[in-house]
Amino acid sequence: MKNLLEIKDLKINFNTEEGIVRAVRGASIRIDKNIIHGLVGESGCGKSVTARSVLNILAANAEIIGGETLYHHQGEIVDLSKLHPDGKEVRKFRWRDISMIFQEPMTSFSPVHTIGNQIMEAILLHSDLSQVAARTHAINMLERVGIPDPAKRIDEYPHQLSGGMRQRAMIAMALSGNPKLLIADEPTTALDVTIQAQIIDLMKQMKDELGMSIMIITHDMGVIAEMADYVSVMYLGKVVESAPVVELFYNPLHPYTKALLKSIPTINSKREEKLTAIAGTVPDAYCIPDGCAFYPRCSQYKPGVCDRSEPNLTEIATDHQVACIMYHGEVETDGGK
Amino acid sequence: METNPEIVFPEKQNPLESEIYLASQWELIWRRFKRHKLAIAGLVILIIIYTMAIFCGFFSPYSPYLYNADYINAPPQTLQFFDQDGFHFRPFVYGYEVSRDPETFRMEYQIDHSKKYPVYFLVRGDRYKLLGIWETDLHLFGVKEGHIFLLGADPMGRDLLSRVLYGARISTSIGFIGVFLSFVLGIGFGGISGLYGGAIDNLIQRMIEFIKSIPSIPLWMGLAAALPQDWTVIQVYFAITIILSLKGWTGLAREVRSKFMSLREEDFILSARLIGASKTRIITQHMIPSFLSHIIAQVTLAIPGMILGETSLSFLGLGIRPPAISWGSLLQAAQNVRTVALTPWLLLPGVFVIITVLAFNFLGDGLRDAADPYGK
Amino acid sequence: MLNYIIKRFIYMIPTLLLISLVVFIVIQLPPGDWLTAYVASLRESGDEIDPITVELLRERYGFNQPFFTKYLNWISGVLQGDFGYSFGWRKPVGELIWDRLGLTLVVSVSTLLFTWIVSFAIGLYSATHQYSFGDYLATFLGFIGLATPNFMLALILMYLAYKYFGLSVSGLFSIQYAMAPWSWAKFVDLLKHLWIPIIVIGTAGTASLIRVLRANLLDELGKPYVVTARAKGLSYLRLLFKYPVRIALIPFVSTVGWTFAGLISGSVITGIVLNLPTTGPMLLQALKTQDMYLAGSFLLFLSIITVIGTLVSDLLLAIIDPRIRYE
């Protein structure tokens, strides 16, 4: 079995004062063992919510209303989405099996507890290690993620560390339980560009050392190109295309993916070539259009077809899935330029 | 990289949204404020209370000074619509049957169902000056024979309702004037502190800390006790207002200061400076409008403290002194348990204090939430 | 940390000196002096006093000296433990104030504890059960508590206790213990009387602290570090108390300084209404009769207690918030 995690037709609603927001509307993602899987999309497309739902740590007003999150664990398959969010069962999987790091290294640590306190807390919670052993392990982890003088840093408070160092400490904390899957929710967005590259390298290095998978959530195609082996593209709560990273960059199929790739500059692009922005804005999550959610902005919109029914994610080629009416039945070979 | 929308598609766009983009700040504030049911209720109650205070002569059935030895400590009467004949469209009150306790010589009142006094609207009664200008004798309601004491009478036989309405003039306006003073001081000191920073800021901050560290009621008592006995009502009134705002401005000044400090760093202030706007223009056109709504909310929340302060001081006999009427000086009649046990309605002016303060708190809370229309 | 404490103590000295000056100005403000008030009250009751005697007395009490001489005399006396003479009571102020200040402190500190415990419990419940019936009830009662003047609440409670239980709840001691020396029985008697002033003085502070804690906690519960802690597999209760509660307590503690000032304030007026043997009634009397050294000493000590309360809250704050310590 090479599957590690399968998210199948996941649906999540937010109950707000203004009404119900359908944040995730049937997303399907498969993450294999020992790979880096990128989840990319504009802000508000539901990618972070999908990621958090894996650990079942959604906000109080969010509700998983359908689908499965199957985690392959020692030959057994557990549906994480069906476990009680505060129950013992799901808590056993958190950090031990699936661990998570976040966008804001500043606020993701409690400001009034030392770094060491917060790392050791997780270690002590999930193992029988003694205080001393847990501390040694924490110092060891801090050293492995490249924090200088870890024996001193461990007793410092988050505000005494720089942003990059905090994110390293965050990674150390997340990896100190040797998880099978690390979910990284926009881990580089809040950092300087040079620090971003260091953190990306660190994550790749740790993935090889520990033999785990990483699910990286980002809106940055550059990060995807840099890190990911496999990519899922999300638009308005649905995965619209899934493919290995090379395939996706050279042969994007969904109009949204194509538009997304055209909107970023590459080092090879000629000076006179213009970047194209995607027309229109992301529709309001309260009134998602009928049919394909992308049709109001789509350049290949077919009236009477696209606004009727929503296409499902269908396998077009090996490992390449797309949710667009154009590819139902036959594969169009017109690739990206 | 975020995709950058260039063209807005008109179709499938929420129609409300484009309106929100175009609405002015005050429109947005009003829109958010309207969603606060309690704040709206508070606003309505305050409008009613202030209207009654301004036109107190018209709304009260009697002169607040009208002394009547026959009705010493008369209990409140209730408006009646039913009698043995059934429903009457015109409300009426029952009269009292007065007797004297042979041991204590206290007046005792029983409802006398044989005496019925119908209530009439827009009746002629005691003369008063409307708004202090026009002399008239028109009252909103009253009785043509007998008497009406909807809130009972005080130990001098004066109508408590009329006294509460007249007392509202002082009690509700003292908060306004006090807050206005606090507002001027707060904006002044807070603004200087926030704009100039450095040593001046440090000095003003220490001063605020110092003023805050003096317990308010003992300080107020000390200052109020220093007011000369021969001062007129107007002098005492303004002195009490000043005493109350001595502490009140400190909170506002801190608020203004922190706003100025954070605004200085904002991009839109920087861009205004870069295009060469003058300092005065930046302050009046950019900074003040952007925090004025917050300050208004803070000011609203500061009024209750003033009202409570006046009530407490007058209750202790250090504030507004009879014959001037304020809610606090009315409560002086209810100084001890025995009085309260025998004539509990003398506590009713306190109920008006509570309602007014509650209304201001609700209104202020709603304003504070609405003050930031772009938040959430 | 030690540096911080020392720094705060040094800061306190100019504050206290300034307070003593302000207090002295306040008690000097009324036109005339105690003798003027005394002569006036004598005249009201039909007595006359020889103007020469008045002048002699005025000379003896030093009422004619310039302001700063009087202030320096007073403050140097205070520093040596001599608080001046109470004309009204014909006793040195030092003999009059300690019992009353002590009881004021007892009432205020027990009210502070009450306020803390109750507002912590209710605020925690309200924030973790947002929009529940209990939350609405707490919010509603909080609003009422904030809107009711202390003395009103005292009168209402006294009225209810009198009407339904036939109890007279004024004072801090039953008659047989009022003058008795301290004993266990007297202490128990004190506890029996203490609850009414505690409720009366504490309600407004409790209501505002509930609001502070609820708002802070709701704010903290939405912070990313809470999600981090959940992702680590912490149980809800353990997480709640280790992180958001701990951090929500920071502004809670920092407002306690002002709450304490409010409690001291409240204890004065409540003391007057409930006729407690605390500072309130004697201070009011002293202020009304221009018994300046007595009033001045009370004002001074009430301010000192408040300043110390603020200091304690600042130190507590430094203990629970490392960001302040390292500044």
Side-chain angles (χ1 to χ4, degrees):
Chain A
M1 280 294 275
K2 61 173 196 163
N3 290 356
L4 181 63
L5 186 80
E6 284 174 277
I7 298 173
K8 286 185 176 168
D9 202 26
L10 184 73
K11 290 177 179 145
I12 299 170
N13 279 0
F14 277 83
N15 304 309
T16 69
E17 267 178 57
E18 286 84 11
I20 290 173
V21 178
R22 291 155 66 207
V24 180
R25 306 176 302 119
S28 300
I29 298 164
R30 196 192 74 223
I31 297 176
D32 296 340
K33 279 182 183 152
N34 217 354
I35 64 147
I36 299 183
H37 191 116
L39 185 57
V40 72
E42 287 166 283
S43 28
C45 71
K47 53 191 195 300
S48 285
V49 178
T50 307
R52 280 192 188 187
S53 78
V54 174
L55 283 176
N56 224 332
I57 50 171
L58 293 166
N61 63 341
E63 199 187 348
I64 301 178
I65 53 159
E68 300 175 311
T69 308
L70 303 177
Y71 175 60
H72 296 250
H73 171 67
Q74 294 164 355
E76 281 175 56
I77 299 175
V78 193
D79 185 354
L80 295 174
S81 71
K82 300 288 182 296
L83 300 175
H84 187 273
D86 290 318
K88 261 203 179 114
E89 294 89 349
V90 74
R91 280 197 272 127
K92 271 193 312 203
F93 289 102
R94 293 177 189 164
W95 189 78
R96 257 266 72 132
D97 287 86
I98 304 172
S99 191
M100 195 160 174
I101 60 174
F102 302 92
Q103 178 176 352
E104 290 285 337
M106 177 74 212
T107 49
S108 296
F109 275 116
S110 152
V112 300
H113 297 87
T114 60
I115 300 283
N117 178 320
Q118 298 182 57
I119 299 179
M120 284 159 64
E121 176 183 48
I123 300 171
L124 292 169
L125 189 72
H126 292 275
S127 71
D128 303 327
L129 291 182
S130 67
Q131 278 278 345
V132 181
R135 189 180 162 88
T136 317
H137 182 50
I139 294 177
N140 187 18
M141 283 309 295
L142 289 175
E143 186 159 22
R144 283 180 75 174
V145 297
I147 290 182
D149 202 1
K152 180 173 155 269
R153 293 293 185 173
I154 192 168
D155 291 321
E156 291 190 337
Y157 290 93
H159 66 272
Q160 293 170 283
L161 271 61
S162 69
M165 282 300 149
R166 271 196 289 261
Q167 196 58 294
R168 280 174 193 269
M170 198 74 209
I171 292 172
M173 179 159 87
L175 298 185
S176 52
N178 207 351
K180 305 285 174 298
L181 174 66
L182 173 71
I183 300 173
D185 187 357
E186 308 247 12
T188 59
T189 310
L191 301 173
D192 291 345
V193 185
T194 45
I195 311 286
Q196 279 188 13
Q198 291 175 14
I199 296 293
I200 287 173
D201 287 344
L202 175 67
M203 281 196 286
K204 279 158 76 176
Q205 173 205 337
M206 296 310 284
K207 178 223 154 205
D208 292 337
E209 281 181 28
L210 299 173
M212 61 180 178
S213 294
I214 295 179
M215 178 180 179
I216 174 127
I217 292 122
T218 182
H219 60 261
D220 187 343
M221 275 296 185
V223 172
I224 295 290
E226 189 77 17
M227 278 186 84
D229 303 313
Y230 201 92
V231 193
S232 297
V233 180
M234 260 185 110
Y235 185 77
L236 269 185
K238 273 197 99 141
V239 173
V240 292
E241 184 162 7
S242 255
V245 69
V246 180
E247 169 84 4
L248 189 98
F249 272 86
Y250 289 100
N251 185 24
L253 295 179
H254 196 281
Y256 176 63
T257 317
K258 289 180 190 171
L260 208 54
L261 287 170
K262 274 187 205 152
S263 71
I264 52 168
T266 61
I267 199 117
N268 301 324
S269 48
K270 294 180 195 88
R271 187 176 275 267
E272 59 272 19
E273 245 176 72
K274 268 193 180 168
L275 288 176
T276 13
I278 303 179
T281 51
V282 183
D284 192 343
Y286 294 104
C287 45
I288 290 169
D290 297 329
C292 172
F294 188 61
Y295 88 82
R297 304 171 74 187
C298 183
S299 54
Q300 279 143 304
Y301 162 52
K302 287 178 190 149
V305 183
C306 293
D307 50 6
R308 291 282 157 78
S309 69
E310 192 162 23
N312 286 320
L313 202 60
T314 324
E315 186 126 5
I316 303 294
T318 324
D319 267 355
H320 196 156
Q321 297 160 304
V322 66
C324 178
I325 203 83
M326 288 195 293
Y327 306 102
H328 280 206
E330 84 271 24
V331 183
E332 220 171 304
T333 40
D334 162 47
K337 284 155 209 166
Chain B
M1 250 138 275
E2 292 283 350
T3 51
N4 232 339
E6 277 174 356
I7 319 149
V8 177
F9 263 56
E11 47 184 330
K12 284 286 175 187
Q13 185 87 51
N14 191 341
L16 255 175
E17 211 160 297
S18 49
E19 235 178 277
I20 286 175
Y21 290 133
L22 297 174
S24 80
Q25 183 195 7
W26 298 105
E27 249 177 270
L28 290 178
I29 290 177
W30 174 241
R31 210 172 273 184
R32 269 174 82 92
F33 178 75
K34 271 194 299 189
R35 292 206 304 227
H36 261 267
K37 297 281 171 295
L38 276 177
I40 294 283
L43 183 65
V44 170
I45 290 172
L46 288 175
I47 291 175
I48 294 173
I49 288 175
Y50 276 88
T51 312
M52 294 205 301
I54 292 168
F55 303 105
C56 54
F58 173 69
F59 285 100
S60 51
Y62 296 109
S63 153
Y65 304 107
L66 187 73
Y67 161 87
N68 195 331
D70 293 338
Y71 300 113
I72 287 171
N73 286 333
Q77 296 161 306
T78 35
L79 275 184
Q80 309 278 345
F81 290 93
F82 292 92
D83 62 4
Q84 56 271 34
D85 306 329
F87 177 78
H88 292 267
F89 191 68
R90 181 173 291 288
F92 61 92
V93 290
Y94 285 117
Y96 303 118
E97 191 184 300
V98 189
S99 59
R100 217 171 252 280
D101 187 304
E103 282 170 41
T104 61
F105 295 106
R106 277 185 49 85
M107 310 261 273
E108 294 204 334
Y109 296 88
Q110 299 292 329
I111 292 175
D112 184 346
H113 291 274
S114 65
K115 293 184 201 156
K116 267 175 56 182
Y117 306 128
V119 177
Y120 295 91
F121 289 94
L122 299 177
V123 294
R124 302 282 162 186
D126 299 322
R127 299 200 70 78
Y128 63 93
K129 277 189 173 168
L130 192 67
L131 293 172
I133 304 168
W134 298 289
E135 193 165 319
T136 172
D137 58 358
L138 193 68
H139 294 261
L140 176 67
F141 70 96
V143 287
K144 289 184 175 164
E145 45 164 345
H147 45 78
I148 179 164
F149 297 124
L150 289 181
L151 298 185
D154 74 353
M156 310 270 274
R158 296 174 293 205
D159 175 39
L160 196 58
L161 176 64
S162 304
R163 292 180 68 76
V164 165
L165 289 175
Y166 274 84
R169 286 191 307 190
I170 287 180
S171 292
T172 58
S173 64
I174 219 160
F176 259 120
I177 296 181
V179 147
F180 177 74
L181 280 176
S182 303
F183 181 74
V184 172
L185 287 171
I187 293 243
F189 280 104
I192 292 170
S193 213
L195 274 179
Y196 293 100
I200 301 176
D201 173 41
N202 213 352
L203 186 75
I204 293 176
Q205 287 313 302
R206 291 292 91 72
M207 188 165 87
I208 290 176
E209 265 168 36
F210 170 70
I211 294 175
K212 281 200 144 200
S213 71
I214 304 177
S216 48
I217 288 187
L219 177 74
W220 289 342
M221 281 167 68
L223 290 171
L227 301 182
Q229 290 292 323
D230 49 6
W231 275 18
T232 64
V233 174
I234 301 286
Q235 281 174 313
V236 171
Y237 175 86
F238 279 105
I240 294 287
T241 318
I242 292 168
I243 290 171
L244 292 177
S245 20
L246 271 183
K247 283 200 80 174
W249 67 273
T250 52
L252 273 175
R254 289 203 154 174
E255 198 77 19
V256 173
R257 169 179 178 267
S258 69
K259 285 283 170 223
F260 265 114
M261 294 227 154
S262 61
L263 278 174
R264 273 201 316 204
E265 315 293 324
E266 291 282 345
D267 289 342
F268 74 95
I269 298 294
L270 186 68
S271 34
R273 269 184 24 214
L274 289 178
I275 60 169
S278 72
K279 200 156 197 167
T280 335
R281 188 180 162 81
I282 290 177
I283 293 171
T284 55
Q285 297 294 307
H286 296 282
M287 291 180 122
I288 291 184
S290 68
F291 67 71
L292 195 62
S293 50
H294 283 273
I295 298 300
I296 291 175
Q298 286 299 323
V299 161
T300 313
L301 289 170
I303 295 178
M306 304 263 168
I307 295 179
L308 290 176
E310 182 279 322
T311 311
S312 302
L313 281 181
S314 303
F315 172 77
L316 291 178
L318 294 172
I320 304 296
R321 295 185 278 251
I325 309 167
S326 79
W327 289 341
S329 72
L330 288 178
L331 281 167
Q332 256 190 295
Q335 277 278 2
N336 57 59
V337 203
R338 276 197 29 252
T339 335
V340 175
L342 292 169
T343 50
W345 55 91
L346 291 181
L347 277 179
L348 285 173
V351 175
F352 284 82
V353 175
I354 296 175
I355 291 174
T356 312
V357 170
L358 267 182
F360 268 116
N361 281 337
F362 287 147
L363 177 68
D365 270 10
L367 284 176
R368 189 170 50 190
D369 288 352
D372 187 11
Y374 303 101
K376 232 186 345 180
Chain C
M1 185 72 195
L2 194 67
N3 278 338
Y4 180 77
I5 298 177
I6 293 170
K7 208 170 84 187
R8 283 301 323 241
F9 265 101
I10 293 172
Y11 260 144
M12 239 173 80
I13 296 170
T15 312
L16 290 180
L17 279 177
L18 210 54
I19 283 181
S20 72
L21 186 62
V22 169
V23 162
F24 199 75
I25 293 174
V26 168
I27 55 176
Q28 284 286 312
L29 268 183
D33 47 41
W34 178 77
L35 279 172
T36 335
Y38 181 63
V39 170
S41 73
L42 279 185
R43 197 165 291 152
E44 256 173 41
S45 53
D47 278 339
E48 275 302 330
I49 188 165
D50 178 18
I52 299 167
T53 325
V54 173
E55 268 324 297
L56 279 175
L57 281 171
R58 192 160 275 153
E59 197 65 39
R60 207 182 107 203
Y61 290 134
F63 288 151
N64 286 337
Q65 285 165 344
F67 176 81
F68 266 99
T69 322
K70 278 190 286 188
Y71 170 70
L72 286 178
N73 284 342
W74 179 64
I75 196 68
S76 58
V78 166
L79 288 175
Q80 292 160 28
D82 172 16
F83 300 101
Y85 187 77
S86 162
F87 314 116
W89 294 77
R90 295 177 193 282
K91 271 181 183 174
V93 170
E95 286 179 25
L96 292 164
I97 55 172
W98 295 121
D99 281 358
R100 289 184 176 255
L101 280 172
L103 283 173
T104 301
L105 204 57
V106 167
V107 171
S108 306
V109 171
S110 30
T111 309
L112 183 66
L113 292 178
F114 165 85
T115 306
W116 264 353
I117 294 167
V118 174
S119 55
F120 181 76
I122 298 180
L124 187 65
Y125 178 88
S126 267
T128 50
H129 298 75
Q130 200 188 1
Y131 304 134
S132 68
F133 173 75
D135 179 30
Y136 281 121
L137 185 73
T139 308
F140 175 73
L141 288 180
F143 267 119
I144 301 273
L146 272 179
T148 313
N150 272 338
F151 67 87
M152 261 301 273
L153 193 59
L155 287 170
I156 293 169
L157 277 184
M158 280 160 82
Y159 171 59
L160 293 179
Y162 175 83
K163 185 162 181 199
Y164 294 102
F165 305 105
L167 288 173
S168 163
V169 290
S170 63
L172 273 183
F173 302 103
S174 309
I175 300 157
Q176 64 266 38
Y177 292 111
M179 287 300 170
W182 279 100
S183 65
W184 178 248
K186 181 170 178 174
F187 179 69
V188 174
D189 185 59
L190 172 67
L191 291 186
K192 278 187 200 158
H193 285 79
L194 204 53
W195 65 274
I196 284 247
I198 284 182
I199 292 178
V200 170
I201 304 167
T203 305
T206 309
S208 64
L209 277 186
I210 288 175
R211 282 165 59 101
V212 170
L213 185 66
R214 180 179 181 274
N216 289 335
L217 204 50
L218 281 175
D219 205 27
E220 293 300 329
L221 281 171
K223 289 273 174 75
Y225 68 80
V226 173
V227 184
T228 313
R230 281 182 80 193
K232 280 196 281 188
L234 253 65
S235 72
Y236 181 69
L237 271 184
R238 195 167 155 186
L239 181 158
L240 181 70
F241 279 94
K242 178 165 179 186
Y243 296 103
V245 167
R246 165 80 192 274
I247 296 170
L249 277 180
I250 293 172
F252 190 69
V253 168
S254 70
T255 49
V256 161
W258 310 134
T259 313
F260 193 68
L263 294 183
I264 296 282
S265 255
S267 79
V268 169
I269 193 159
T270 309
I272 295 165
V273 181
L274 290 176
N275 197 18
L276 306 182
T278 55
T279 44
M282 203 185 248
L283 171 64
L284 180 66
Q285 181 66 22
L287 283 171
K288 282 185 167 170
T289 57
Q290 294 191 27
D291 194 346
M292 56 179 269
Y293 292 118
L294 184 58
S297 304
F298 275 134
L299 288 178
L300 184 65
F301 276 103
L302 290 175
S303 306
I304 290 175
I305 294 175
T306 313
V307 171
I308 293 175
T310 314
L311 175 76
V312 169
S313 104
D314 281 357
L315 294 183
L316 279 177
L317 196 61
I319 290 172
I320 67 168
D321 190 350
R323 287 168 296 186
I324 288 181
R325 243 180 291 159
Y326 287 96
E327 243 175 38

